[in-house]
Amino acid sequence: MKIFAASLPRKVIYSFCFACLLLQIVGLSAYPYDDTLNVLPQNGSSDGTYTRTDGTVEDYRIPIVDWPSVIDFSIIRGGDGGRAKAIATAGEDLEGKGGGGALLSAQFEVDPYADDALRPGGKIRFVIGSRGQNKTRNHSAGSGGGGGTAILYLAPVEGAEWEMLAVAGGGGGAAASTIFNDTFSHDGLNANTDGDGDRGRVQGGSFLAGQPGGKDGTGGQTPNDGSSGGGGGYNQHSADQYGNRWDSSGDAGATHGGAGGIGNQFGSWGGFGFGGGGGGFVNNNDSVSPTVAKGGGGGGYSGGGAGGNHNDGDGAGGGAGSYISNRATQKTALARNSGNLDGNITFSASSPSPTGSLPGPIFSRIDSQETIWDYEVASYSHRVTVADVYGNALELIGDSWNPSNGLGTYVLNFSATDQFGKFASTTKTVTVLRASKPTFEIDNYIGILEDSGEYRKSFVRNARTNDPSQIVINYRVDNDNPDLFTSDGQPDITQSGLLSFTPADNANGTANVTVVAVDNAQDLVNGSSDPQSFEIRVVGIDDRPTLTRQTGLVFNENTDVAIHFTAAEPFGAPIVYTLSSIDAPQFSFDAETLTLRLNEIPNYEAPTNYNQDN
């Protein structure tokens, strides 16, 4: 919820001249907040100061209390190109008008959080273009182009850079001549409403031979001999087609504005601005000449091209390009004819109701109360960070945590001051507790028979950590007779308390097993239980002896029948051999040699076995 109270708007008119105020802004840092700037007034109007090397650059900050919801720039006008008047020795004087600077309007929303809105506490900069220098002269006159007018914005965020909100291009300079064989007057071209600068014009109205205008922030071109200047753009000064820069070239204005191009001894200077205007040119030869006067191109987002060169006749400068950011919620752009005016910005920044005040530092990652264990004290971090409303990290001033702090409750105090001078503080309570050892119950004896296979049993009872928010994470199990078990069947207890082990084949004996419950591996003192022990006894059992006979029990008659055996007893006990069956009386067994024999030599035709079948 927002609560609004009505307020009456104030009207403040700002006007600047060369002798009144020049602000030279050196730093571009958006952070920390610069509280020395004037707050953007609710209403204002500012004109470009006409100078040759400097002009009007003003910085304001958007209020951080009751900021305007909308800043409405109703007039953003680029500087007009200079007029050119040639005084005739006989006959009529001729005069060319300068090109008109573009006329823009744009509205921008102000909100601390909305996308594409300007932020309270951000900087607004005006770079206001001056008109090109007028020129009146006997026989011939060439005037300079006007400078562009720009509105820039610097967000109150660390690392931010100036960005363009709007640029109104300046008009091109005019040219006129009353020389007998070269009589003309050409108006400078008006600034464009789009981003590209115009080509300069030449005698007879042709545009084909004038110098090209700039594209997408570049400067307009200047003739190869630099006789007149193209206008400067956003990121490039004007130059000839080979990249040579001449004194008559308009500067790249960028964020501080740039000087207009220098007129030659008899020419005229371009206007200062966001992209300086190109200088005009006049040939001092008053006799018949194919080229006697040229206008400079206007400066702006992209510069306009200069008037025609020596080979192509004489002409006026091209108009500069303009620009409006997509941040604008409303915008218009118009081409206008010259009024021989400097650039101008008129705006209103009133709010129908108070919008409140920016919040102070914002603390994050903080639990107002936290409980830790004594073993965590040495590595404890309070995990408190702080930033301003726009996410700029702030210096956190607060209590340090002493690793030697013992058991008890501690209150930590934190504070910070943001770039807007707003102070905030918070506290955090930390309670240090000593952990308790876990406890559990187990049986003290388990007995199984030899070779009985894997053993599994729910073994642990009443397991308790004795501390809140902890659980037993595992059981450490050791035994003193690992050979009693298979390599992958050593005694083990799962987290749920299930005991398992597998005795080795034919193994028997006793293993003492030690068990420790663990609820915190980091706590080397109280994170593990006291050890408990139990006994596993594998009881041996007698295994059957083995008796193996030879193979192939087919014998010829009338031969001795002897069958040989092998025998084994796992534990080495004596073996007693017994013969049994209905035919057993016919055999004898030698326990020493493990040989079984028929007592009589067999005769196939006279069988002696019980069923007479040999």
Side-chain angles (χ1 to χ4, degrees):
M1 175 182 290
K2 292 184 178 179
I3 301 175
F4 299 97
S7 64
L8 296 176
R10 296 176 291 121
K11 184 173 183 180
V12 181
I13 303 297
Y14 286 80
S15 62
F16 294 85
C17 64
F18 176 61
C20 299
L21 177 63
L22 293 176
L23 290 179
Q24 184 176 4
I25 307 302
V26 177
L28 295 181
S29 175
Y31 180 86
Y33 177 72
D34 186 353
D35 197 37
T36 64
L37 298 179
N38 295 324
V39 173
L40 187 72
Q42 291 185 358
N43 297 281
S45 181
S46 189
D47 291 326
T49 302
Y50 186 86
T51 70
R52 293 178 177 176
T53 58
D54 293 296
T56 302
V57 178
E58 305 170 26
D59 276 10
Y60 297 101
R61 60 183 173 91
I62 302 173
I64 59 174
V65 177
D66 294 339
W67 55 84
S69 56
V70 172
I71 303 178
D72 182 5
F73 295 96
S74 57
I75 295 177
I76 310 168
R77 186 179 66 218
D80 292 342
R83 293 181 303 194
K85 184 175 182 179
I87 306 299
T89 303
E92 184 179 0
D93 298 340
L94 293 179
E95 180 176 296
K97 295 181 179 180
L103 178 62
L104 313 181
S105 65
Q107 286 188 0
F108 298 91
E109 180 183 0
V110 180
D111 189 280
Y113 312 107
D115 293 340
D116 292 330
L118 308 184
R119 304 301 187 205
K123 290 183 183 179
I124 296 289
R125 173 171 290 178
F126 300 161
V127 178
I128 304 178
S130 304
R131 61 180 172 84
Q133 185 183 21
N134 295 332
K135 193 67 177 179
T136 300
R137 188 174 179 277
N138 292 335
H139 305 305
S140 61
S143 59
T149 293
I151 301 170
L152 306 171
Y153 169 67
L154 188 62
V157 178
E158 188 170 10
E161 296 182 355
W162 286 102
E163 61 177 283
M164 295 178 291
L165 296 183
V167 181
S177 174
T178 59
I179 295 177
F180 178 71
N181 287 333
D182 197 3
T183 301
F184 64 87
S185 65
H186 295 311
D187 295 340
L189 297 183
N190 295 334
N192 280 334
T193 57
D194 59 24
D196 296 333
D198 270 329
R199 182 184 287 269
R201 83 180 275 171
V202 298
Q203 187 176 10
S206 169
F207 287 84
L208 297 178
Q211 300 305 307
K215 301 288 184 183
D216 192 26
T218 59
Q221 281 193 16
T222 294
N224 296 345
D225 59 5
S227 56
S228 62
Y234 162 52
N235 56 24
Q236 188 185 80
H237 58 71
S238 60
D240 67 18
Q241 60 181 313
Y242 303 108
N244 299 318
R245 182 178 180 183
W246 306 90
D247 288 344
S248 58
S249 301
D251 278 349
T255 55
H256 294 284
I262 300 173
N264 68 346
Q265 180 180 0
F266 305 102
S268 58
W269 292 59
F272 171 93
F274 186 86
F281 173 79
V282 175
N283 191 328
N284 194 37
N285 184 357
D286 291 342
S287 62
V288 176
S289 172
T291 302
V292 293
K294 306 176 184 69
Y301 174 71
S302 299
N309 61 29
H310 284 295
N311 298 322
D312 297 319
D314 314 294
S322 303
Y323 170 88
I324 300 179
S325 167
N326 288 332
R327 283 183 181 266
T329 55
Q330 296 183 31
K331 53 187 174 182
T332 61
L334 302 173
R336 55 175 287 276
N337 294 323
S338 173
N340 197 32
L341 300 173
D342 288 321
N344 172 254
I345 294 176
T346 300
F347 64 92
S348 62
S350 59
S351 179
S353 300
T355 48
S357 178
L358 287 179
I362 300 170
F363 296 91
S364 61
R365 295 178 61 196
I366 179 171
D367 301 316
S368 60
Q369 296 186 8
E370 188 172 9
T371 299
I372 63 174
W373 303 110
D374 55 353
Y375 62 85
E376 297 175 316
V377 168
S379 60
Y380 175 71
S381 171
H382 52 67
R383 300 186 302 277
V384 178
T385 60
V386 64
D388 68 15
V389 65
Y390 299 127
N392 296 304
L394 302 178
E395 180 184 3
L396 183 70
I397 300 175
D399 296 333
S400 60
W401 179 258
N402 186 349
S404 65
N405 288 343
L407 303 181
T409 299
Y410 303 88
V411 178
L412 305 180
N413 298 284
F414 302 100
S415 64
T417 302
D418 67 15
Q419 57 173 318
F420 307 111
K422 292 180 175 290
F423 173 85
S425 63
T426 189
T427 61
K428 180 172 185 175
T429 301
V430 181
T431 301
V432 181
L433 300 178
R434 174 156 294 157
S436 301
K437 291 185 176 183
T439 57
F440 62 96
E441 298 175 8
I442 57 175
D443 296 333
N444 58 13
Y445 170 81
I446 288 178
I448 63 171
L449 295 177
E450 173 189 343
D451 294 333
S452 58
E454 182 185 21
Y455 180 88
R456 297 172 66 88
K457 178 183 180 181
S458 180
F459 189 61
V460 178
R461 304 181 303 276
N462 299 323
R464 295 185 178 88
T465 62
N466 302 311
D467 293 318
S469 70
Q470 287 187 341
I471 60 172
V472 173
I473 56 176
N474 61 60
Y475 292 89
R476 293 199 301 264
V477 181
D478 297 304
N479 77 87
D480 63 357
N481 188 7
D483 292 338
L484 186 61
F485 310 96
T486 62
S487 60
D488 57 354
Q490 297 290 316
D492 179 69
I493 298 177
T494 66
Q495 182 185 18
S496 62
L498 179 67
L499 170 67
S500 64
F501 60 87
T502 303
D505 291 341
N506 295 320
N508 59 79
T510 299
N512 292 306
V513 183
T514 301
V515 181
V516 174
V518 180
D519 64 3
N520 193 319
Q522 294 178 321
D523 185 356
L524 301 180
V525 177
N526 294 319
S528 302
S529 69
D530 292 330
Q532 294 194 50
S533 299
F534 69 98
E535 181 180 276
I536 296 177
R537 180 174 298 174
V538 179
V539 179
I541 59 174
D542 287 340
D543 292 336
R544 294 171 177 265
T546 58
L547 185 67
T548 306
R549 62 172 172 79
Q550 72 180 63
T551 59
L553 301 182
V554 177
F555 300 91
N556 293 325
E557 66 177 333
N558 303 318
T559 60
D560 183 26
V561 176
I563 303 171
H564 301 286
F565 292 81
T566 58
E569 206 289 322
F571 300 100
I575 301 176
V576 177
Y577 301 93
T578 303
L579 297 179
S580 63
S581 88
I582 195 170
D583 290 320
Q586 298 188 57
F587 289 87
S588 60
F589 183 77
D590 187 342
E592 295 293 330
T593 64
L594 300 183
T595 303
L596 178 71
R597 276 187 165 82
L598 275 172
N599 295 328
E600 296 180 5
I601 299 298
N603 184 339
Y604 182 80
E605 287 76 17
T608 59
N609 63 311
Y610 175 75
N611 59 1
Q612 304 292 303
D613 64 354
N614 281 312

